[in-house]
């Protein structure tokens, strides 16, 4: 592993791998079976790239962490430290958030989800996670974000007071999770997974929410929610490309240009969708703070004639359309 073989170098990665089942407990079942092709492909890619800290942004949450524990144990060298919190995805609101006249659907949850815990986040680490010092911004209401722009339809607010007083900004979660390191102060992992800026209507609810999920980190970095982490890395799926695809692209471009951040992989796509659809887009990011030195970085995306292409499956998509994104950093 990068961190154990060379302690001064730390590999931080994120992977929006589709580790979500069709119902509660099914991810655990499939991990334990050992023969689910998609999960096996994901495991091989992670093992091949050997991250020290890994943020997974589509991993079903269960209260006892059974699925995450089983997933870690599936590696030849299991991850000793794990972290997950209940996601907003699948958390029932009891409201008709998409105004289609039906209650209890996936789009009526705090974040899109067919069941509680559907498509949550998780962190695996080679180094101790200081869980007691973690900060969770997942409960921040959308309406409470400074300078918020809320969806409207024909000049009328799309969300009523009942929704505004309950709807959280994070569609999945926003966490700051300190990880202890053997050669210096902890690093704060700022993990998130934003809603795609599509699958909505003329009110642009998902587009506006996607932009504000990114803006939440801007408020944090400007001290709007308290002390700013001294040494950090932002890792996760912004679901926003600064140059292509749907959404408020300039918001992503402006975020990447912040002086407190480093962007080791400019213009590198991280997802491979069909060309008659979104195409190749950059949506997942690992962005260290300026106090780190970038040693190396990459997106695991073997060429068609590369022998390692087999890890992605015969069609290159066995592990899903998203690619593994990693950055090696040192102090």
């Amino acid at each position: 592993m990068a961190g154990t073989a060379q302690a001064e170098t730390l590999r931080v990665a994120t992977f929006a791998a589709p580790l979500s089942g069709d119902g509660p407990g099914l991810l655990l079942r499939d991990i334990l079976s050992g023969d689910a092709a998609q999960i096996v492909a994901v495991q091989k890619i992670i093992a091949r790239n050997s991250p020290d800290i890994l943020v997974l942004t589509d991993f079903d949450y269960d209260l006892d962490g059974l699925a995450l524990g089983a997933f870690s144990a599936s590696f030849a060298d299991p991850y000793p430290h794990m972290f997950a919190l209940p996601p907003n995805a699948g958390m029932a609101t009891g409201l008709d958030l998409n105004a289609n006249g039906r209650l209890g659907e996936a789009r009526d949850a705090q974040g899109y989800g067919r069941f509680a815990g559907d498509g949550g986040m998780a962190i695996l680490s080679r180094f101790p996670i200081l869980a007691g010092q973690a900060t969770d911004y997942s409960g921040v209401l959308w309406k409470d974000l400074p300078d918020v722009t809320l969806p409207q339809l024909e000049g009328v607010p799309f969300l009523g007071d009942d929704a505004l007083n309950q709807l959280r900004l994070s569609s999945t979660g926003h966490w700051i999770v300190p990880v202890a390191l053997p050669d210096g102060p902890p690093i704060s992992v700022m993990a998130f997974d934003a809603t795609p800026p599509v699958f909505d209507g003329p009110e642009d609810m998902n587009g506006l929410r996607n932009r504000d999920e990114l803006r939440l980190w801007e408020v944090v970095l400007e001290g709007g929610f308290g002390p700013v982490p001294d040494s950090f890395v932002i890792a996760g799926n912004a679901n926003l490309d600064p140059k292509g695809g749907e959404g408020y692209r300039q918001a992503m471009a402006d975020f990447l240009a912040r002086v407190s951040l480093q962007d080791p992989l400019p213009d590198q796509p991280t997802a491979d969708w069909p060309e008659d659809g979104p195409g190749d887009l950059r949506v997942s990011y690992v962005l260290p703070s300026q106090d780190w030195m970038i040693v190396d970085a990459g997106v695991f995306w073997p060429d068609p004639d590369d022998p390692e292409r087999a890890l992605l499956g015969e069609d290159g998509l066995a592990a899903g359309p998203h690619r593994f994104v990693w950055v090696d950093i040192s102090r």
Side-chain angles (χ1 to χ4, degrees), residues 152-226:
Q152 294 189 350
L153 188 60
E154 298 180 351
V156 178
F158 183 73
L159 298 169
D161 289 343
D162 287 347
L164 291 176
N165 290 329
Q166 185 180 163
L167 184 59
R168 301 175 174 189
L169 172 58
S170 300
S171 56
T172 306
H174 283 73
W175 310 335
I176 301 181
V177 184
V179 177
L181 300 178
D183 58 347
I187 183 171
S188 291
V189 179
M190 300 171 63
F192 78 124
D193 183 18
T195 188
V198 291
F199 310 121
D200 53 14
E203 84 289 343
D204 196 23
M205 179 167 168
N206 290 341
L208 292 169
R209 189 178 187 183
N210 171 274
R211 180 179 65 181
D212 278 347
E213 288 194 73
L214 186 64
R215 287 189 56 243
L216 189 150
W217 282 145
E218 293 183 344
V219 174
V220 168
L221 293 176
E222 292 165 2
F225 286 111

Side-chain angles (χ1 to χ4, degrees), residues 120-139:
M121 297 192 300
I123 298 176
L124 297 175
S125 176
R126 296 288 172 199
F127 304 113
I129 293 173
L130 305 177
Q133 300 177 28
T135 304
D136 182 14
Y137 292 109
S138 306

Side-chain angles (χ1 to χ4, degrees), residues 42-102:
V42 170
Q43 291 166 330
K44 289 181 178 179
I45 291 168
I46 293 173
R48 161 62 181 81
N49 288 279
S50 300
D52 294 307
I53 300 173
L54 173 62
V55 176
L56 296 166
T57 58
D58 190 6
F59 196 101
D60 287 349
Y61 173 87
D62 63 81
L63 181 61
D64 296 315
L66 298 178
L68 188 57
F71 188 72
S72 174
S74 69
F75 294 97
D77 185 12
Y79 283 86
H81 306 285
M82 297 168 283
F83 183 88
L85 294 173
N88 289 339
M91 183 183 293
T93 65
L95 302 173
D96 180 16
L97 290 179
N98 61 352
N100 69 349
R102 296 188 295 272

